[in-house]
Amino acid sequence: MKKLFGLFLCFIAVLLIGCSNNDIAKNNNETVASSPSVIIESPSFDTAMDEPNIEHIMLTAEEQEYIRWDNALLSDSPDTFSGVIVDKKVFSDDDYKTIISTLVGSQWTIVQNYEMSKSELAKLIQKIEYNREHCDFSKDLITNDGLKDFQVQEKKAPELSAYQVIEDITSLPSGQFVSFTLLTADEDHPYVVIKRGENDFYFYRSETLNVQSESFLNALLHSTSSKHERAFFEWLLPTEPTITREAAMQEADSIISELHIPMKVKSIEPCTILTNYVERTEGWRIVYARNINGFFDPFDIESFGIADFAPPQKAAPWSRENCTIVIDEKGIASFTWLGASTQSTYCPERRIPAFSEVQPLITRQLFTLNETNLVREGFYRIVDISSVNVAVALLSTDQPDVGEYIPIWVVYYRSKWNDDSDIPENWQTGVIAFSMYNGQYVEPRITERKLSFELGGDR
Amino acid sequence: MKRIICFVLAMVMALLALPVAFADDGYFPKDYQLNNGTYVASVVGGNSQKVVKNILKDEPNTIDVKLTYLDLNGQTAFKFRGYQAATNTVCSASSDSMNQTNYVYHAAYTASPTRVDLRMSIQSSSINDFVLFNGRYYI
């Protein structure tokens, strides 16, 4: 009996130790409002990546036949590169408060489980019903079932809005995503998502906010065959944002500066912002990212796949580092700061092998990834490379909470089954990254942790 | 007393052994019976179909799908996309065309709605064309 009880206590102790290691936030003395990151040259730092050791391989006839480089446009690449080492910037509770105050001002209260009052719901239903009469796409913004749900909710709603006040961020749980609403002087109730102990922050003017950028909508238009859906996406396309590009940039830049975010503008484009199922405004979507030796991370909103029979050699240490700000005439519609990092140091300069040295290895990896399996045994996919660009990506190192920005070849391609006819519908586009140091397949769009889980490891 | 402690210990061990999912996840609903009696999910040609709906969003950055069985039946462009629940408003990129098992397909979120509908489609506009599949989604 005593032995059993002792064993049980040991088990609980092990369990608790495991959990607390995940829950304890890294004690980072650098606050959001402190001095900006400083680039320090550190020639003696050992990078976690292997020195170039290109495997010289002989491609098979099939590899050469099915991976085609005839039309590939190759970017110029540097001969050498100094990668950048970054540490994970864990947001402290004070950091969260500083960010929130920068976005909404100093008067705000955190609440959870916000329940709309009868009058709030009545007002929303009235707007939706008005839209039904005046907007061709009101049923796309919210379906009849959605409206019915609100009508049912209104009958049971309290007279006054109900919520649970959270006295302080410190009382929210760590190690898991938590969301909360901010009560401010404005009518809008901003919605925030954080994970205490991590380096991601999400802010939206409203929980229902949906941003559709111009490029995203154009991609949607090409991907749907539904006549109604095409009409809806065309209606959503921004035509003329009600705030100038310059004014939007100024506001976004001031936030970046105030929060000492060490990033530069990577892209800016018009967008449409949908709020509360009825409101449609137009503004600008501005993406900031780290600029490493003149190069950015090339990715934004993409899709990709991970093959368990040919996984990438390296993945990201945490979320892809970027800051996306959406602004319209009402102000900040959304602000997301993901994968925050700090304390940059340069790695020793490394030779970049000529592309011709790594091309065979890249070819083989592309062939393996596109090789058929049980689904269409005996058939292959033809991969037609369109362009190869130079960019950077943040990848993991062998030190926890440390990442390295390295140069990558970004390969844009299209692929189809070898027995399919050569018509546009049969080709599928894709983009994939390889380390410029050694030609190995890397995937900065997934974290090592998630990759490990997908490959059957423990969380 | 011994039995209670053993039971609690067994429960703790069982909980530790369970793989922890990354997000609100589930298996695709099965609506088509194969000749061998197995049930699988299906998507037909035409407009995209709401395969799962009103799922609580838990994944921060992507919707993920892993297929364990796939019969493309000669069809192409078998894809998925997330929509804000109770709307026709897209909230994720369109996935790559799914043509293999042993792959996890990821589609980046473009918004952060509370609940998500997952819709799937194929290239064909004919309801007589279809694909069959099994697998898991992570929303």
Side-chain angles (χ1 to χ4, degrees), chain A residues 205-221:
Chain A
R205 182 190 292 148
S206 155
E207 193 177 339
T208 64
L209 196 96
N210 193 319
V211 176
Q212 314 257 298
S213 68
E214 185 178 65
S215 59
F216 179 68
L217 285 163
N218 281 325
L220 287 178
L221 275 168

Side-chain angles (χ1 to χ4, degrees), chain A residues 7-203:
Chain A
L7 189 61
F8 175 67
L9 282 178
C10 286
F11 227 116
I12 296 298
V14 167
L15 184 64
L16 284 171
I17 288 167
C19 287
S20 66
N21 281 342
N22 289 334
D23 290 346
I24 292 172
K26 185 175 169 186
N27 188 15
N28 188 339
N29 289 326
E30 185 181 289
T31 64
V32 169
S34 64
S35 58
S37 299
V38 174
I39 305 293
I40 302 167
E41 295 205 336
S42 177
S44 61
F45 191 96
D46 285 327
T47 175
M49 292 290 289
D50 295 333
E51 283 299 319
N53 183 16
I54 313 301
E55 190 186 345
H56 296 288
I57 56 177
M58 291 294 294
L59 295 174
T60 64
E62 276 166 347
E63 287 168 338
Q64 292 181 73
E65 182 184 351
Y66 292 113
I67 309 299
R68 301 176 183 177
W69 295 90
D70 308 328
N71 302 314
L73 293 171
L74 181 64
S75 291
D76 290 334
S77 67
D79 297 323
T80 60
F81 197 91
S82 293
V84 171
I85 297 291
V86 294
D87 296 325
K88 186 180 188 179
K89 179 185 174 55
V90 174
F91 289 130
S92 67
D93 293 331
D94 283 340
D95 288 338
Y96 289 129
K97 291 176 192 174
T98 301
I99 298 171
I100 291 171
S101 295
T102 301
L103 298 174
V104 302
S106 57
Q107 302 300 315
W108 46 270
T109 305
I110 294 178
V111 302
Q112 287 188 309
N113 305 316
Y114 186 92
E115 197 182 342
M116 285 198 278
S117 66
K118 261 197 196 332
S119 60
E120 282 175 316
L121 279 160
K123 200 171 164 186
L124 175 60
I125 291 166
Q126 197 178 27
K127 283 184 184 176
I128 295 171
E129 286 170 346
Y130 176 85
N131 238 21
R132 285 284 192 267
E133 305 289 325
H134 296 88
C135 175
D136 291 338
F137 299 100
S138 70
K139 289 183 187 172
D140 297 288
L141 295 177
I142 180 158
T143 60
N144 284 337
D145 283 344
L147 173 57
K148 224 174 277 179
D149 285 343
F150 280 129
Q151 288 164 338
V152 166
Q153 207 181 325
E154 190 202 1
K155 291 189 176 113
K156 301 186 236 176
E159 292 301 321
L160 296 174
S161 52
Y163 44 79
Q164 180 193 356
V165 174
I166 304 297
E167 292 301 328
D168 194 66
I169 282 180
T170 53
S171 58
L172 295 170
S174 290
Q176 63 186 71
F177 281 102
V178 290
S179 58
F180 51 84
T181 303
L182 295 172
L183 296 187
T184 65
D186 291 337
E187 199 180 48
D188 289 320
H189 297 316
Y191 181 72
V192 176
V193 181
I194 62 171
K195 190 176 186 183
R196 290 179 67 226
E198 288 295 330
N199 57 348
D200 297 329
F201 177 89
Y202 303 79
F203 168 97

Side-chain angles (χ1 to χ4, degrees), chain A residues 307-309 368-380 417, chain B residues 67 70 99-103 105:
Chain A
D308 58 14
F309 55 87
T368 304
L369 281 164
N370 285 277
E371 200 169 5
T372 186
N373 60 11
L374 296 172
V375 179
R376 287 201 80 196
E377 198 163 341
F379 292 89
Y380 292 95
W417 293 107
Chain B
L67 300 178
L70 177 61
N99 48 43
Q100 297 202 42
T101 56
N102 305 327
Y103 249 81
Y105 294 91

Side-chain angles (χ1 to χ4, degrees), chain A residues 1 8 11 15 140-141 143 202 204 207-208 210 212 223 229 303-306 308 369 373 428 450 454, chain B residues 1 9 16 59 61-62 64 81 83-84 86-90 94 97 100-104 106 108 112 114:
Chain A
M1 168 81 170
F8 175 67
F11 227 116
L15 184 64
D140 297 288
L141 295 177
T143 60
Y202 303 79
Y204 306 97
E207 193 177 339
T208 64
N210 193 319
Q212 314 257 298
S223 71
E229 214 168 36
S303 301
F304 62 97
I306 298 289
D308 58 14
L369 281 164
N373 60 11
Q428 171 188 319
K450 188 166 179 180
E454 288 186 3
Chain B
M1 185 62 175
L9 207 57
L16 285 174
E59 274 288 333
N61 298 320
T62 56
D64 312 323
R81 192 191 285 151
Y83 287 71
Q84 202 163 339
T87 75
N88 291 328
T89 311
V90 173
S94 190
S97 292
Q100 297 202 42
T101 56
N102 305 327
Y103 249 81
V104 182
H106 302 262
S112 191
T114 312

